[in-house]
């Protein structure tokens, strides 16, 4: 059986960033629209 388009796998934070994550700079909204 195929996976549905846009399916997301649940991955723990520690697996993706084993040494942690540091934010440099400010957060802001992403106003750019992308259609598929």
């Amino acid at each position: 059986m195929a996976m549905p388009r846009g399916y997301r796998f649940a991955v723990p934070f520690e697996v993706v960033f084993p040494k942690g994550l540091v934010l440099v700079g400010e957060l802001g909204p992403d106003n750019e629209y992308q259609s598929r």
Side-chain angles (χ1 to χ4, degrees), residues 22-33:
V22 176
L23 174 65
V24 179
E26 295 183 21
L27 291 178
D30 183 8
N31 297 326
E32 181 179 340
Y33 176 76

Side-chain angles (χ1 to χ4, degrees), residues 2-3 7 9-10 18-22 27 29-30 36:
M3 301 289 276
Y7 182 83
F9 292 91
K19 295 186 178 183
L21 181 66
V22 176
L27 291 178
D30 183 8
R36 289 187 176 198

